[in-house]
Amino acid sequence: MTACAIENGTAGATGTAGDGLPDGPDGPATPLGAPPVAPVFTIAADGSYAARLALADVAAEASDEGGGAWFVERWTLDGPEPYAVPLPLDQPEEPDSEVLPLADGRVLIRRRVADRHTVSLLYPTGPGTGELPLGAVACPDLTLLPPSPDGVSAYALSAGAHSTSVWQVAGGAFGPEPVAEVPGRCSGGVWLDRAGRMLALDREMPGGGPVKAVAVDLERGGEVTPLLQIAPDSNDRLLLADPDSGLLLLRSDAPGHDRLGWGVLGSCLPVRIPECLRPADVAVTPFAVQPGQVLTPESCAVALRIDGAAGSWVGVWRPAGRRLHQFAAPEGWQAGRGVWARDGVLRLPYADGNVACGVALLEAPVDDEPCVPASAEPGAEAGAENGMQPSGATAPLSVCKPVPLGQAPLTGRMTPG
């Protein structure tokens, strides 16, 4: 998809508080120019496992100063009840290490060691933790990409001054190896297919200029094709993509300030910039798209993290509904993390003082009411039970009748949406 226009009449409008924050699916919004925040909780592509760095108390006699020690923790999410397995080694992990779960239950960890980055696989072995070293990459910076859809491979980015290397750090035959060299400085990372072949990156060309999302074909030597081109001088970043429906969630400053928008992979229709995704005084970040909605992208439920002065809470929105529903998050939510089931149930992982590993279930609301501006208060539509259920069986969910994108009433509207 190469998007070349914006369907909205608000171009050039004055931004509200929360605009201009280049947040993405891996963390909260940060001011422009600030370094990205590494994700602390990562869910496997199929939703089966998750992994994070957890902090354990260390007695003073066990270390020079006592305090906390970081270790890898794996969560199992696809069983009858979620549970966590600690994967500690003989020495604590550094807090800047990155972890990524694979579909077979092993957890990949990237560590910085002097001027190199080592990569290993961790797995439980009875009472202990097994470690399989995969190799090292010698470069100043190496950042893990989101989990590959194939469940067995892992990739990372190493950005230089003039080009960016894409490394396959797990799943190859000979340890970490470069699989693509992309001209320009790249960031982000969104998978566009189920095979783990097409990767979208946000690229700034050498010498400066706007950031544009491009598609990289990893099976054709890193062949690069344009993906987003909304305006010649706009920064157009891809945040999420759903391979089933082709729905794309993006952020662009083409309207004059950063706004969330959506489009469809391969479509000739213009990008939409919904007004309801710009509530005042908050930052809104999409983090999960409902799968399985083949050929009906406008019916996909999208989960969003909403950050405001009151904290973080959950938003749910559909392109066809044009309404942002807001819900209180469970206590201890791993903010900005969650997985949709095909039937429209959102699974939100959390850990609080009473539950070490839990999943709250949120049913996507049906957009059967008139479109009205959403309240900016957390939990405004949550009701007495905040729309949440504990882990377990869910009630059947009624779903809106899908509207083909070409007939969706998204042009010429006057109401917010």
Side-chain angles (χ1 to χ4, degrees):
M1 168 187 173
T2 300
C4 55
I6 295 179
E7 184 276 313
N8 196 288
T10 61
T14 302
T16 61
D19 289 325
L21 297 175
D23 43 21
D26 288 335
T30 54
L32 285 170
V37 178
V40 295
F41 189 92
T42 306
I43 301 176
D46 63 355
S48 56
Y49 295 97
R52 68 170 181 169
L53 286 180
L55 194 61
D57 291 333
V58 178
E61 58 270 16
S63 64
D64 294 337
E65 300 179 354
W70 293 97
F71 67 95
V72 177
E73 185 177 73
R74 189 197 71 187
W75 291 29
T76 299
L77 302 177
D78 61 351
E81 290 292 336
Y83 63 93
V85 175
L87 298 175
L89 293 171
D90 294 336
Q91 64 182 32
E93 305 291 348
E94 295 295 329
D96 63 348
S97 299
E98 290 182 294
V99 294
L100 185 149
L102 302 182
D104 61 6
R106 294 182 296 176
V107 177
L108 182 138
I109 182 168
R110 176 207 59 80
R111 305 181 179 102
R112 179 186 289 274
V113 180
D115 59 348
R116 300 182 305 152
H117 298 265
T118 64
V119 183
S120 298
L121 289 173
L122 305 182
Y123 51 93
T125 56
T129 300
E131 180 174 9
L132 175 64
L134 299 180
V137 177
C139 63
D141 296 294
L142 189 72
T143 303
L144 293 181
L145 287 166
S148 172
D150 66 9
V152 298
S153 303
Y155 295 84
L157 285 184
S158 175
H162 303 288
S163 65
T164 299
S165 298
V166 181
W167 288 78
Q168 183 175 8
V169 296
F174 306 104
E177 57 181 340
V179 293
E181 189 77 14
V182 182
R185 186 173 184 86
C186 297
S187 59
V190 176
W191 294 102
L192 299 175
D193 63 349
R194 293 290 183 194
R197 169 179 175 175
M198 300 301 298
L199 174 66
L201 297 173
D202 299 329
R203 179 176 70 171
E204 181 182 8
M205 291 301 293
V211 176
K212 300 291 184 183
V214 297
V216 181
D217 190 336
L218 299 183
E219 290 191 4
R220 301 189 66 176
E223 181 180 271
V224 178
T225 55
L227 185 63
L228 292 178
Q229 176 69 37
I230 298 177
D233 298 326
S234 61
N235 294 296
D236 308 320
R237 296 176 172 88
L238 186 64
L239 304 181
L240 287 178
D242 175 53
D244 294 336
S245 64
L247 179 65
L248 304 179
L249 278 298
L250 58 100
R251 182 177 292 280
S252 174
D253 61 5
H257 47 269
D258 274 323
R259 293 282 302 275
L260 288 179
W262 69 280
V264 180
L265 189 66
S267 173
C268 294
L269 294 172
V271 166
R272 272 77 162 180
I273 307 290
E275 189 68 22
C276 67
L277 295 185
R278 192 181 60 158
D281 302 323
V282 298
V284 179
T285 307
F287 64 86
V289 181
Q290 180 186 2
Q293 311 303 299
V294 179
L295 301 180
T296 55
E298 71 289 336
S299 68
C300 290
V302 178
L304 306 106
R305 170 178 174 171
I306 305 175
D307 293 288
S312 299
W313 59 100
V314 182
V316 177
W317 164 83
R318 287 188 182 91
R322 295 175 290 155
R323 178 180 181 181
L324 178 60
H325 303 267
Q326 301 186 46
F327 301 89
E331 185 72 21
W333 177 40
Q334 302 294 317
R337 298 294 183 267
V339 178
W340 282 107
R342 289 176 177 263
D343 59 357
V345 176
L346 179 62
R347 299 167 59 85
L348 300 170
Y350 70 95
D352 58 24
N354 300 317
V355 179
C357 173
V359 175
L361 306 182
L362 171 62
E363 294 187 2
V366 177
D367 295 300
D368 56 358
E369 300 177 7
C371 181
V372 295
S375 168
E377 293 298 322
E381 299 190 17
E385 297 181 354
N386 295 329
M388 296 293 179
Q389 301 177 23
S391 303
T394 60
L397 175 68
S398 57
V399 180
C400 295
K401 180 180 178 181
V403 179
L405 185 63
Q407 303 172 19
L410 295 175
T411 59
R413 66 179 185 272
M414 298 301 293
T415 58

